[in-house]
Amino acid sequence: MSKDMMRAFELYQPDSVENAVELLGRFGPEGWALAGGNDTLDWFKDRAKYANAVVDLSGVEALRGIRETGDGVEIGAMTTLTEIESSELIQSRYSVLSDAARRVASPQIRNTGTIGGNLCQDTRCWYYRYGTDCYRAGGTTCYADTPEGQNREHCLWGADRCVAVSPSDTAPALVVLDARMVVQNAEGEREIPAEEFFIGPD
Ligand SMILES: Cc1cc2nc3c(=O)[nH]c(=O)nc-3n(C[C@H](O)[C@H](O)[C@H](O)COP(=O)(O)OP(=O)(O)OC[C@H]3O[C@@H](n4cnc5c(N)ncnc54)[C@H](O)[C@@H]3O)c2cc1C
Ligand code: SF4
C-alpha cells in the first residue's frame, strides 16, 4: 500500500554562521535554509518543492537580534517579525519598518516568521504555487499576464516575462530606508542595496 507522505529529508542544525554556510554550500540546490518554516513547510506539505537536506538556522544565535551600530541598526536574519514590530529602537528610528512588520499576516505567523524568511519567501502567484509550468517554474508562459489572468496583486510596471512581485510587507520598507542586505556564502560576504536584492527569474 502506498501512502502520500511529505518527502523525507536530512535535518542539519548548525550553531554558527560558518557551519550553516558550509552546509548550504555543500548541498547546493539539494539544500534548503529553514527559518521559521511558514513558507518552507507550505511548499513541502503541498509536495510542490522539496529538499534532500534542510539546514535549520534556529540554533544560530549570531543571526538573532537588533543591534545599534555606528551608522544605523543591524537586524539579524533570524529576528522575528514580532521582535521587529515591538522594538522601541525600530519604532523610534525606523517606524515604517515596525509598521510594515505589524501588517504581516497574524500574530502566530509574526511570532515564528523571521525577517530573513519574510524577505526570501517565494512569490505568492497562485499559478506558480499550484504547480503550473509557468515561466517562473521553467516553462515558457506566464499565465498571470493575460486579460483573464488572476493578477490583481501583481506588478503594473517593470515586469519582464514574470509579472509576480515579492509578497514581503517588510521589503518596501527596507527599500525606502536604503537598507543593505548582508549576504554570505562559502565564497565570502557581500552587501547588496535592498533595492537590488529582489530580482525576477532569469
Ligand atoms: C497564511 C499566511 C499569510 C501570510 N501573509 C503575509 C503578509 O500579509 N505579509 C507578508 O509579508 N508575508 C505574509 N506571509 C508570509 C510569511 O510572512 C512568511 O512565510 C514568513 O515571514 C517567512 O518567514 P519564515 O521565518 O517562516 O521563513 P521560512 O518559511 O523558513 O523561509 C522562507 C524562505 O526563505 C528562505 N530563508 C529563510 N531564512 C533565510 C536566510 N537567513 N538566508 C537565506 N534564505 C533564507 C528559506 O530557504 C525559504 O525559501 C504569510 C504566510 C502565510 C502562511
Ligand atoms: S507571474 Fe510569474 S509566477 Fe505567476 S504565472 Fe507568471 S511567470 Fe508564473
Side-chain angles (χ1 to χ4, degrees), residues 123 125 127-128 132 134-137 141-145 154 161-164:
T123 180
C125 173
Y127 297 98
Y128 177 68
T132 63
C134 72
Y135 183 73
R136 188 179 179 88
T141 307
C142 173
Y143 299 100
D145 192 12
H154 290 15
R161 292 173 285 192
C162 172
V163 297

Side-chain angles (χ1 to χ4, degrees), residues 23-192:
L23 285 162
L24 289 166
R26 191 194 316 165
F27 293 109
E30 310 263 288
W32 187 291
L34 174 70
N38 292 287
D39 197 37
T40 297
L41 293 172
D42 258 5
W43 284 113
F44 289 3
K45 287 179 177 174
D46 286 348
R47 323 292 194 254
K49 289 192 180 186
Y50 60 87
N52 289 331
V54 170
V55 180
D56 173 11
L57 303 177
S58 64
V60 184
E61 212 45 50
L63 290 178
R64 292 184 184 280
I66 300 166
R67 291 171 283 275
E68 215 171 341
T69 61
D71 58 352
V73 165
E74 190 178 273
I75 304 175
M78 289 298 288
T79 307
T80 65
L81 296 166
T82 297
E83 287 165 338
I84 291 170
E85 169 192 347
S86 54
S87 157
E88 285 180 17
L89 181 59
I90 304 285
Q91 283 171 6
S92 63
R93 303 251 299 263
Y94 308 104
S95 60
V96 66
L97 179 59
S98 48
D99 287 351
R102 192 172 303 118
R103 284 179 177 273
V104 173
S106 60
Q108 290 92 334
I109 289 174
R110 296 197 295 274
N111 283 343
T112 53
T114 63
I115 184 82
N118 188 256
L119 295 171
C120 296
Q121 63 176 304
D122 213 334
T123 180
R124 293 205 166 253
C125 173
W126 301 116
Y127 297 98
Y128 177 68
R129 289 264 166 177
Y130 289 145
T132 63
D133 60 344
C134 72
Y135 183 73
R136 188 179 179 88
T140 54
T141 307
C142 173
Y143 299 100
D145 192 12
T146 66
E148 295 80 27
Q150 288 184 36
N151 51 21
R152 197 183 57 174
E153 293 84 6
H154 290 15
C155 65
L156 295 175
W157 299 285
D160 181 15
R161 292 173 285 192
C162 172
V163 297
V165 295
S166 164
S168 165
D169 274 320
T170 58
L174 291 173
V175 170
V176 298
L177 289 170
D178 287 333
R180 300 182 71 79
M181 314 298 198
V182 180
V183 178
Q184 202 173 336
N185 67 11
E187 282 157 30
E189 182 180 295
R190 66 193 169 115
E191 277 189 27
I192 304 173

